[in-house]
Amino acid sequence: MLRRTPIAQAIFDSDRVEFRVDRPAPAPTPVLAPALTWSRSLAALMLSGASLSATAQTAAPAAEPPANAATLPAVTVKGAADVPADGYRATTTRSTKTLQDPHEIPQAVTTVTRALMTEQQVGTLREALRNVSGLTFNAAEGGRSGDNMMLRGFYTFGDLYLDGIRDTAQYNREIFNVEQIDVLRGAAAMLFGRGQAGGVINLVSKTPYLSDGNTVATTIGSYNYWQMLGDFNKRLGETTALRINVMNRDEGSARENPSNGDVATLHRRGLAASLGFGIDTANELILSHQALRTRDVPDYGMSFDNATRRINTNFSAKTYWGTKSTFDDSDTNISSLAHTYRFAPGTELRTQLRHADYWRAYWAKTPNATLAPTATGGTGGNQTRNSTYKTDTLQTDFNHRFLALGMRHQLLAGFEYMKEDGYRRTLNNLGTATSPLYQPYAENGAILPSTYTGNTYALYVQDSIEFVPKWKALFGIRRDQLDAKYSVLSSPQLKFGENSVRAGLSYHPSSDIHFYLSYSDSFSPTADLYQLSGGAYPAERSKVMEFGAKWLLMEGDLALRTAIYRADKDWERNTDLESTAAILTRKRRTNGIEFEAAGRMTSNWEVFGGVALMDAKILEVAQNINATTGVVTVADSRLVGQRARNAPNFTANLWSTYNLGGGWKVGGGLESKGRRYVYSPQAADASALFTPAGEFKPNTAPAYVRYDAMASYDLKQWSFRFNIQNLFDKIYYDALYDNGGFGVPGTRRKFLMTAAYRF
């Protein structure tokens, strides 16, 4: 196990360092390897006693440091052969566009690692994000189908990224090709462009490494669960390697249409290939393509009862309103090129080019509060869509570490261009009202399609300065220019030019302790979401202040952090694309405090957990302008001071495992959320949300605690794992339609058995 202090000192804080592994070794070549390759290569060398420079292969020779560069003392790297390097604590992240240890970032960061996802038998992004405190899920409605989360009480649908590039298309993401998931909390427009106040969720793809390694795994389980995974890495040359990941999963559900026995199902297929040239050298190129195909039968859950404001109890929680004819089909293809040129240690130019093509069509049945499901799908609403979305992105980042006026600088400068082309239209009912029938591509010709094209240009620069020992100041600024065209708006031309800033002050009394104060803001005209607001309102603006502390204990094996924050958002937009009221609230605020732990308590005991306390309230109600008449409608003033939608005051998660020896490991965990409200906050008359006595009583999902358990047995090449999800078969609702119509139950008790073979 690599200890934290030497890693941070050697990789992130120095311009010229000597490494020693049992004996002195030459200075390293100008290489900052990807996290996976670094950890595997370095761990192998420590075990063998070889010098670190052997990993460089044919890397370019080390550049001479500048004349004014400071020379630090030699650092000794120690390893423990009996402790695996891959655990719950991530030691590298690019969530700030610079390769850093999360401990060094003056902002709250949560990383869900591959080890954690594997032990929990996670398949989807949504399942993986149950490990992130302060995060809740929205049900797939209001036109925002696919992955749709709330973080710190704010939407994140515009803040999903794949390897640092915007990935806001509406689809259900799988994690078979994901190495880790980085969640950078707080506004981040200076780094990533338009976005929300909650934070950025960035998926980090698997990449090739310079050794042969293959894993195949099969999982079977309850409700006809069956999955095959393959991860194959082949070294093709001295600095060349190919990696292929494949996935095939089918899954049923405990929920059933009582009239015909139909159930909701998932059918997912995935293929990802990446080819690397010059891996771990000064000139590295990674070509990759990822294809994902889904053919699901969707489930929109249970309705709320208008009388009780609770989930409907007229029907069993296992009642399903859909039929096997309903569908949620999507094809996603993402092709990327990533080139990194390392001029010297701490100086690199990283350029990414991507083309992404997303197609999706769905027909889903919403539940009925009083009428039971029928065999033909005659009760419940029909939600349909056929959509395409294409993006082309060019992104380049320049990182440079240098000394000036006796102070250390870490400079980031970059440029980004993104072209978007979107299309959506409802489907045509080929059947009748009592026996509806929809098909992909069979669009409703009576309704005009909604189209959107957009071009975004951005320039940004940031500098982190160690102005006196142990103190660092950070400041960054970004300019985004958006030019968009719509097909269905009263003002179809939309232009926004917005500035975003990021600032921070860090104090490091020692390398294992970090106190910080940070400020960040963000904006979003919501143009990428095809909103109806056009240019009638200013862009959303969010401002976040955060004070936090990070500690590394157990020689760096265990990371603790806490953060206190205030996040304000102005002109909050509606996510329901069919809504005539574009603005949800005029001003909203979340005050919160978070605690998190990740890593090893001992060499055998690992933990990952977090607690988030949130106070999310409406400060000023919405005001909406009728595009035709110009009439201004102001929302009900009684909503001022009420808790925001789907923002519980308490969330918690915990996962812990213990190595018993002899290859045996046991573990378990929990996920807990407090009560969550769902309602429409822009109503001019919100009397329906209050009791006659004036008590605020919107539709409310109950609080819950879900428990999971795991046991595994590892051999040299084989491993076996047994998971129980929702150990006590708790009925709970983890995804809610934020306007209040329905909630989707979480998984019932599920048994999963996995066998994996490594060769």
Side-chain angles (χ1 to χ4, degrees), residues 147-228:
D147 292 322
N148 187 353
M149 287 76 68
M150 308 279 283
L151 182 60
R152 289 182 169 179
F154 299 99
Y155 298 118
T156 63
F157 47 70
D159 296 295
L160 293 170
Y161 289 78
L162 178 63
D163 298 319
I165 295 179
R166 187 178 297 273
D167 186 48
T168 55
Q170 301 175 32
Y171 70 106
N172 295 301
R173 293 158 179 82
E174 294 284 315
I175 54 87
F176 71 100
N177 190 47
V178 172
E179 193 63 47
Q180 66 186 47
I181 302 168
D182 295 323
V183 180
L184 178 67
R185 299 169 184 262
M190 183 263 126
L191 293 167
F192 293 96
R194 63 186 186 268
Q196 310 292 324
V200 166
I201 300 172
N202 182 45
L203 282 67
V204 181
S205 299
K206 296 179 180 179
T207 55
Y209 53 93
L210 294 176
S211 62
D212 293 345
N214 307 289
T215 302
V216 292
T218 301
T219 303
I220 58 174
S222 307
Y223 311 117
N224 297 316
Y225 186 103
W226 179 83
Q227 177 177 265
M228 284 287 294

Side-chain angles (χ1 to χ4, degrees), residues 146-435:
D147 292 322
N148 187 353
M149 287 76 68
M150 308 279 283
L151 182 60
R152 289 182 169 179
F154 299 99
Y155 298 118
T156 63
F157 47 70
D159 296 295
L160 293 170
Y161 289 78
L162 178 63
D163 298 319
I165 295 179
R166 187 178 297 273
D167 186 48
T168 55
Q170 301 175 32
Y171 70 106
N172 295 301
R173 293 158 179 82
E174 294 284 315
I175 54 87
F176 71 100
N177 190 47
V178 172
E179 193 63 47
Q180 66 186 47
I181 302 168
D182 295 323
V183 180
L184 178 67
R185 299 169 184 262
M190 183 263 126
L191 293 167
F192 293 96
R194 63 186 186 268
Q196 310 292 324
V200 166
I201 300 172
N202 182 45
L203 282 67
V204 181
S205 299
K206 296 179 180 179
T207 55
Y209 53 93
L210 294 176
S211 62
D212 293 345
N214 307 289
T215 302
V216 292
T218 301
T219 303
I220 58 174
S222 307
Y223 311 117
N224 297 316
Y225 186 103
W226 179 83
Q227 177 177 265
M228 284 287 294
L229 292 175
D231 186 347
F232 310 99
N233 192 87
K234 178 64 177 178
R235 181 172 179 173
L236 303 176
E238 198 169 13
T239 62
T240 306
L242 172 68
R243 190 168 187 179
I244 296 176
N245 279 266
V246 294
M247 177 273 299
N248 190 341
R249 185 169 80 257
D250 298 298
E251 183 177 354
S253 168
R255 289 168 43 75
E256 179 179 296
N257 186 323
S259 63
N260 58 13
D262 290 350
V263 299
T265 58
L266 300 181
H267 304 283
R268 310 280 174 89
R269 311 288 183 264
L271 170 66
S274 54
L275 179 63
F277 301 93
I279 298 173
D280 294 357
T281 72
N283 192 12
E284 183 179 83
L285 177 67
I286 305 293
L287 303 173
S288 65
H289 180 79
Q290 178 174 307
L292 176 64
R293 174 187 174 95
T294 70
R295 295 294 185 268
D296 299 343
V297 177
D299 183 1
Y300 274 23
M302 302 287 293
S303 66
F304 278 90
D305 189 314
N306 290 332
T308 65
R309 298 290 176 179
R310 298 296 185 265
I311 293 291
N312 196 339
T313 58
N314 294 330
F315 304 98
S316 164
K318 293 185 177 182
T319 306
Y320 171 59
W321 269 260
T323 73
K324 63 182 180 182
S325 297
T326 56
F327 57 88
D328 188 348
D329 298 349
S330 70
D331 292 319
T332 300
N333 289 277
I334 301 173
S335 301
S336 304
L337 177 153
H339 177 257
T340 304
Y341 188 81
R342 303 176 176 100
F343 299 89
T347 302
E348 70 174 32
L349 180 66
R350 189 166 187 261
T351 302
Q352 296 189 87
L353 180 64
R354 174 175 298 168
H355 174 74
D357 190 330
Y358 313 87
W359 167 78
R360 188 171 191 193
Y362 62 85
W363 167 33
K365 297 293 298 184
T366 56
N368 192 289
T370 57
L371 299 177
T374 66
T376 59
T379 57
N382 298 294
Q383 297 296 326
T384 69
R385 182 80 75 245
N386 183 46
S387 64
T388 61
Y389 180 56
K390 297 180 181 180
T391 64
D392 293 292
T393 307
L394 172 64
Q395 183 183 99
T396 184
D397 297 305
F398 177 69
N399 284 277
H400 181 43
R401 297 174 187 267
F402 62 97
L403 290 174
L405 302 176
M407 296 181 290
R408 290 181 176 273
H409 294 254
Q410 181 178 336
L411 177 70
L412 165 69
F415 167 78
E416 183 175 324
Y417 167 72
M418 186 176 192
K419 179 181 180 181
E420 301 168 271
D421 188 351
Y423 170 95
R424 67 177 176 89
R425 201 176 198 179
T426 58
L427 299 178
N428 188 36
N429 187 358
L430 304 177
T432 64
T434 57
S435 184

Side-chain angles (χ1 to χ4, degrees), residues 16 209-210 242 262 390 408 530 546 557 586 626 651 671 678 717:
R16 184 185 180 194
Y209 53 93
L210 294 176
L242 172 68
D262 290 350
K390 297 180 181 180
R408 290 181 176 273
Y530 319 117
E546 179 175 303
D557 283 346
R586 176 64 179 81
N626 188 296
T651 72
E671 175 202 3
V678 284
Q717 290 184 289

Side-chain angles (χ1 to χ4, degrees), residues 613-635:
L613 306 177
M614 297 189 297
D615 181 21
K617 292 187 181 299
I618 296 173
L619 300 185
E620 298 179 29
V621 295
Q623 54 186 39
N624 283 283
I625 305 172
N626 188 296
T628 303
T629 65
V631 174
V632 177
T633 302
V634 180

Side-chain angles (χ1 to χ4, degrees), residues 435-515:
S435 184
L437 177 64
Y438 297 87
Q439 295 291 334
Y441 298 109
E443 297 179 347
N444 187 346
I447 299 177
L448 291 174
S450 297
T451 62
Y452 163 77
T453 58
N455 291 277
T456 302
Y457 305 85
L459 289 170
Y460 45 93
V461 62
Q462 174 186 276
D463 195 10
S464 176
I465 308 169
E466 187 177 3
F467 56 95
V468 295
K470 301 182 179 181
W471 287 88
K472 292 181 180 179
L474 177 147
F475 181 78
I477 187 168
R478 176 178 176 129
R479 177 69 176 181
D480 281 270
Q481 195 71 38
L482 171 65
D483 186 354
K485 293 182 179 180
Y486 298 83
S487 64
V488 294
L489 292 178
S490 58
S491 39
Q493 186 75 19
L494 178 63
K495 288 189 176 182
F496 275 93
E498 298 285 336
N499 297 324
S500 306
V501 299
R502 180 175 183 241
L505 180 65
S506 295
Y507 172 56
H508 298 264
S510 71
S511 61
D512 291 336
I513 303 174
H514 181 191
F515 298 102

Side-chain angles (χ1 to χ4, degrees), residues 134 136 565 590-593 611-617 643-644 646-652 672-677 703:
T136 55
Y565 66 89
T590 299
N591 292 321
I593 182 169
V611 175
L613 306 177
M614 297 189 297
D615 181 21
K617 292 187 181 299
R643 189 194 304 176
N646 204 358
N649 55 16
F650 171 85
T651 72
S672 177
K673 288 181 172 58
R675 293 189 308 162
R676 290 148 294 153
Y677 293 157

